[in-house]
Amino acid sequence: MSNGFINRNQRHIIERIIVKGTLVLDTPTCLGSGDADGATDLILLRDSKEDKALLMGSSIAGALRNYLREYRNGYGAIEESLLFGGLRSDEEGEQSPLIVNDALSRENIKVELRDSVKINSVTRTAEPGPKYDLELLEAGTKFDLYFELLIDAENNKEQLVRELAIALQGLERGEISIGTKKRRGFGRAHVEEWQVWEFDMTNPNKRLQWLTLDRDWAKSYAELPNIGKSIETALKVQLDAKDKRDRLFITATFTLATPLLIRSGQASSDKSPDVVHLKSRRNGELKPVISGTSLAGVLRHRAERIINTINKNPCIVEDIFGSDLGKDKNQQAKASRLIVNESVIKETTDLVQNRIAIDRFTGGALHGALFNEQPVFACDQTEFDLEIELRNPKDNEIGLLLLLLKDLWTGDLPVGGTSSIGRGRLQGKHATITLRREQQDKISTISQSTPNESLVLINTESLEKFVAALYEEVIE
């Protein structure tokens, strides 16, 4: 170091690769601005000139960096990558050769409002205080992504391009979520199409093409890009890296055994009933959904009940579902390793039910306590898919999730509100359980056409050992 500055080698850029893509949101997304002064507790980040959502380049780069590290080395591994430069802790780390631009939504912001509240696991009622609401971008919102990879004379081009393809492959497959509450189903997205330009900076004509690409002040001389649905095709690269992430996937198809009511905090119109089931817009149409936050809360409370029944040991629940800062200042918050996605319910019927509160003293109707609710009812075609993923699963944790799946399957674990009057019961139809360890998949399936028919089990002999491992862990 000299004069307070770090001596760095100047990069001799010999090639530039520009990649564009169209990012489409599959579920509502929260891109929080961090501004506390707003109509809601968490408001969307907006462009200062237009009423459009702003997706920061730093957020995209951070998500890509994290995905690349986990894909190549597994969860919790140390990063080894040339694509994103040195670590933050390394003061003399190299600059990232990848430039990630901010992205604006193509259309003006379309907001979806969600309310959330914390439920006490003992009383099963809302806890005082922790109620909040947030703004979400509607599903279907599109962003134009822009990446520029700088190749200098000293870097290995093949390695950089391969790492970029792996990272962008995560966006293409919908495995990278953006925004907050990603592990509760928000922020899922995918890329529809890739466009790639390659410019040889040692060639004067190619430099002119790069200078005039997407510039308002000049005519573009750039050639047509390589276009592909797959980033491998667009970048003309062969990916040989293997996915080293250990994960458990549970994908289960359910139907509704009873009406379902997850309260929506925002009425669709002034003439709506007092309580309406939660709906979210998909392809311009409102669809009833089971939110990831509601399902995760239900699963956590039942997991606590199971563990407390065997032996009071809440550590396993906190290891799976995460924990907040406790009363002990030395305790650290834990992020959830369980990803619970939002589910759209297909083919339902909305019916309004009138209810009235009863005065327990007189046994008559309580004055002024008439209200109506609009749950969703099932028909023969009603079904929805629940998707759950657990990262770095242990045998005992898998056993706990299998017990939760069993309770959902049999209708013993209701979802949503007003479960005390028989709502929220589910009936399982088909489930696929995939355990990926050491780059190998072990798949088990469970099917049941109707509640009266017996289960059809395929490759489920090994599932019993996970439940046994749970019992042994909790007892110890």
Side-chain angles (χ1 to χ4, degrees):
M1 298 179 63
S2 62
N3 299 326
F5 294 95
I6 300 175
N7 293 324
R8 300 182 186 275
N9 296 326
Q10 298 296 322
R11 292 187 293 185
H12 180 208
I13 299 174
I14 60 175
E15 187 174 353
R16 292 176 182 264
I17 300 176
I18 293 178
V19 180
K20 293 183 179 182
T22 301
L23 182 73
V24 183
L25 301 183
D26 297 323
T27 60
T29 303
C30 181
L31 303 176
S33 64
D35 189 358
D37 298 330
T40 59
D41 296 306
L42 189 59
I43 61 176
L44 288 171
L45 182 61
R46 290 169 165 81
D47 181 54
S48 58
K49 295 183 178 179
E50 303 176 85
D51 187 26
K52 294 184 177 181
L54 176 61
L55 176 56
M56 300 291 291
S58 56
S59 299
I60 303 172
L64 294 178
R65 183 173 197 160
N66 186 62
Y67 176 83
L68 177 62
R69 184 192 74 243
E70 294 176 342
Y71 185 92
R72 297 177 62 188
N73 306 312
Y75 296 112
I78 300 175
E79 183 176 26
E80 296 178 359
S81 172
L82 295 176
L83 184 62
F84 293 97
L87 299 174
R88 180 178 296 179
S89 58
D90 187 2
E91 295 183 358
E92 299 183 4
E94 294 294 330
Q95 184 179 3
S96 170
L98 181 65
I99 299 173
V100 185
N101 287 6
D102 293 344
L104 288 176
S105 59
R106 288 186 177 180
E107 300 178 351
N108 291 342
I109 289 180
K110 295 180 180 179
V111 175
E112 181 175 320
L113 299 178
R114 291 281 182 95
D115 286 3
S116 186
V117 67
K118 185 176 182 180
I119 303 296
N120 187 293
S121 59
V122 177
T123 64
R124 298 180 63 87
T125 58
E127 290 191 358
K131 182 184 183 303
Y132 59 93
D133 52 4
L134 62 159
E135 288 184 338
L136 302 172
L137 278 176
E138 283 189 358
T141 303
K142 295 184 178 182
F143 292 86
D144 293 323
L145 302 182
Y146 185 100
F147 307 92
E148 186 169 356
L149 181 62
L150 311 181
I151 309 295
D152 61 31
E154 298 181 359
N155 282 341
N156 186 337
K157 175 185 175 181
E158 293 183 0
Q159 181 178 353
L160 286 176
V161 173
R162 189 176 298 110
E163 290 182 355
L164 177 61
I166 293 174
L168 296 184
Q169 179 183 250
L171 286 176
E172 176 187 313
R173 295 177 176 179
E175 295 184 355
I176 298 179
S177 300
I178 57 177
T180 61
K181 289 187 173 293
K182 297 184 289 291
R183 303 192 180 188
R184 294 298 176 258
F186 293 147
R188 299 193 67 183
H190 72 280
V191 173
E192 289 184 335
E193 184 181 75
W194 296 106
Q195 295 179 323
V196 177
W197 290 265
E198 297 187 29
F199 302 102
D200 182 2
M201 303 308 291
T202 63
N203 187 324
N205 293 330
K206 295 292 184 179
R207 288 201 298 269
L208 178 62
Q209 293 179 11
W210 171 74
L211 286 171
T212 58
L213 179 66
D214 292 338
R215 303 300 195 274
D216 297 333
W217 44 265
K219 175 184 175 182
S220 177
Y221 291 92
E223 299 176 355
L224 295 177
N226 297 329
I227 300 177
K229 294 287 185 180
S230 168
I231 189 62
E232 294 183 70
T233 304
L235 282 174
K236 298 180 180 180
V237 63
Q238 185 69 30
L239 297 182
D240 55 0
K242 296 181 179 180
D243 188 353
K244 295 185 179 180
R245 296 172 293 175
D246 292 342
R247 295 181 287 174
L248 172 73
F249 298 95
I250 298 179
T251 302
T253 301
F254 286 86
T255 187
L256 296 178
T258 62
L260 174 67
L261 180 61
I262 298 177
R263 297 173 185 267
S264 172
Q266 307 294 331
S268 58
S269 67
D270 295 336
K271 298 181 180 180
S272 296
D274 297 306
V275 181
V276 181
H277 180 82
L278 178 64
K279 293 186 178 182
S280 180
R281 195 170 297 277
R282 299 289 193 275
N283 298 323
E285 185 178 355
L286 286 174
K287 298 287 187 180
V289 298
I290 297 179
S291 62
T293 53
S294 297
L295 182 59
V298 168
L299 294 177
R300 178 170 191 147
H301 295 160
R302 178 52 62 92
E304 291 176 350
R305 184 176 178 181
I306 292 174
I307 297 300
N308 291 333
T309 301
I310 304 174
N311 188 11
K312 291 187 176 181
N313 183 6
C315 295
I316 182 175
V317 178
E318 293 181 353
D319 288 342
I320 297 175
F321 293 90
S323 63
D324 298 330
L325 291 174
K327 297 180 181 180
D328 185 1
K329 295 182 179 179
N330 296 326
Q331 180 183 353
Q332 294 183 351
K334 297 180 181 179
S336 172
R337 292 190 289 115
L338 185 71
I339 291 86
V340 184
N341 292 320
E342 187 166 285
S343 304
V344 177
I345 309 175
K346 305 174 184 177
E347 303 296 334
T348 61
T349 302
D350 294 339
L351 296 177
V352 177
Q353 292 181 325
N354 294 318
R355 298 181 62 195
I356 192 168
I358 300 298
D359 190 323
R360 296 184 179 181
F361 179 72
T362 64
L366 190 65
H367 178 70
L370 175 66
F371 60 97
N372 46 32
E373 298 171 332
Q374 188 179 40
V376 291
F377 290 77
C379 61
D380 294 338
Q381 292 77 31
T382 299
E383 67 177 21
F384 55 93
D385 296 328
L386 296 184
E387 298 179 0
I388 300 174
E389 174 189 343
L390 180 62
R391 298 177 175 179
N392 276 347
K394 302 176 183 177
D395 287 355
N396 58 321
E397 296 170 344
I398 297 173
L400 180 57
L401 291 183
L402 291 176
L403 294 179
L404 296 177
L405 175 63
K406 183 263 297 181
D407 288 349
L408 286 174
W409 190 284
T410 58
D412 184 62
L413 177 57
V415 178
T418 62
S419 59
S420 59
I421 61 172
R423 291 179 181 153
R425 311 287 172 173
L426 311 182
Q427 174 58 49
K429 299 176 66 176
H430 181 81
T432 301
I433 303 167
T434 304
L435 177 59
R436 178 172 298 169
R437 279 178 175 168
E438 298 179 353
Q439 305 174 33
Q440 294 182 353
D441 290 347
K442 295 182 179 179
I443 302 175
S444 305
T445 60
I446 304 172
S447 301
Q448 187 177 21
S449 301
T450 63
N452 297 326
E453 294 186 4
S454 59
L455 293 172
V456 179
L457 308 177
I458 301 177
N459 297 330
T460 58
E461 297 83 3
S462 61
L463 297 182
E464 185 64 29
K465 71 175 184 179
F466 298 121
V467 180
L470 170 66
Y471 183 80
E472 295 175 0
E473 176 71 20
V474 175
I475 291 299
E476 292 178 0

